[in-house]
Amino acid sequence: MDATHKTSCTLSAFSYFKKALTLLKQGENQLALQYIDSAILFSSNCPFYIYQKIKFLVHINPLQCEKYILSQLNFLYRHASLYITCRSLHYYVKLAHSTPEALDSILSHLKLPNILGKHYSALLTQSVASLIPFIEETMVHDALDECIAYCDLVLKVHPTYEEIYYSKGTAYHLLYDLPKAVSCYKKALQLNPPNAMLCNLIGLALMELGQSEEALDYLTQATVLKPDNLDYALHVAECYYSTKKYKEAQVYLEDVRKRFPESLQTVFSLSHTYRIQNRKFLSNHYNRKIRKQLKKQKLISKMKSS
C-alpha cells in the first residue's frame, strides 16, 4: 500500500472496506484485496469482511476464491451467521462444480457437519425452523451425531431456543458425553426456569459424573417443583445411596413411603438400605411388606380378570 492510500484511510474497518469497493470499481483489483484484508484485520466482525472478500474474489479470481473459501469455511461456520456460511458454501459449489459426494468429503475433512451440504441451498430461502423435523427424526432413529449437528444449525440462528438445547443435551446424554449434556441442560434451564424435568436430568447426569453434592441440589429442586413425582423423589434417595449416605437415604425413603404408600420400589429400596446398614430385622420387616403387597396386587388382578 503506498503512502497516498495509507493516509487516505483511517484505521476503521468500514473505511478500508469503502476504499476497497472504490478500487474494485476502478479495476485496481490487487490493491482492493489489500484493503479488504485490512478491513478483516481491524474489524471486530471479521466474518462479515471475509465474506466480502469472497464476493470480490468471485469476480477477480475464481480459482483463488475456491481455495480461500475452503481456508475460511470452518472459521465462518464457528463465528459467522448461518446465512454467510451457507452463501459462502453456495459460491464454492458453484465455482468448483462440486458433486454432493465431493462436498460431503470436503465437509468431513474440514470437520463440519455433513448435513450442511444437504441443506445450505434451502437455508438461503427457507427458515431454519424447517430443520426442526430433522432433529426429531434423527432422535427417533438414534442418529445422535446428526441430531447434534441439526441442533447446532438451528442454534446459530436462534441461540435462545430452549427446546433445542434440551434435544442437544439429550443426544449428548445418550452418547454418554455427560459434561456436554450437563452444559446443554443447564443452558436450557437458564432459558426456561424453573423446570423440574431439566433439574432432574442435570442431577442424574451429575450423579453419573460423580458430582454428587451438586447433583443432590438439582434433584432436590426437581422434587420441590414436582412434589407429586415419585421418580424424582427416588432419584434423591439414589443420590444419597450413591455417596454411601445410607442413614440419610433411609430417613428420606421413610418420608417418601409416607407420601407414596403404594410404591413397591420405595419399600424395596428401604429394605436394601437397612440391609446394607446390617439392620436385618428392619430389612426383613420391609421384605414381608413387599411380599404382602405383591400378593394383594395379584389378588386384585385375579378379581379384575374374573
Side-chain angles (χ1 to χ4, degrees), residues 6 12 24 27 55 77 104 108 111 171 173 177 179 186 198-199 205 246 251-252 254 260 275 284 288:
K6 282 182 180 178
S12 156
L24 188 66
K55 289 165 69 177
Y77 177 73
D104 186 75
S108 296
K111 297 182 179 177
H173 206 155
D177 192 337
K186 283 185 175 180
L198 288 169
C199 287
Y246 304 121
V251 171
Y252 188 81
E254 291 284 9
F260 301 93
R275 180 180 291 112
N284 291 333
R288 287 193 294 272

Side-chain angles (χ1 to χ4, degrees), residues 196-216:
M197 180 189 68
L198 288 169
C199 287
N200 182 64
L201 288 170
I202 294 168
L204 291 175
L206 288 169
M207 188 163 56
E208 290 181 86
L209 285 167
Q211 299 174 29
S212 301
E213 292 301 320
E214 189 180 1
L216 185 60

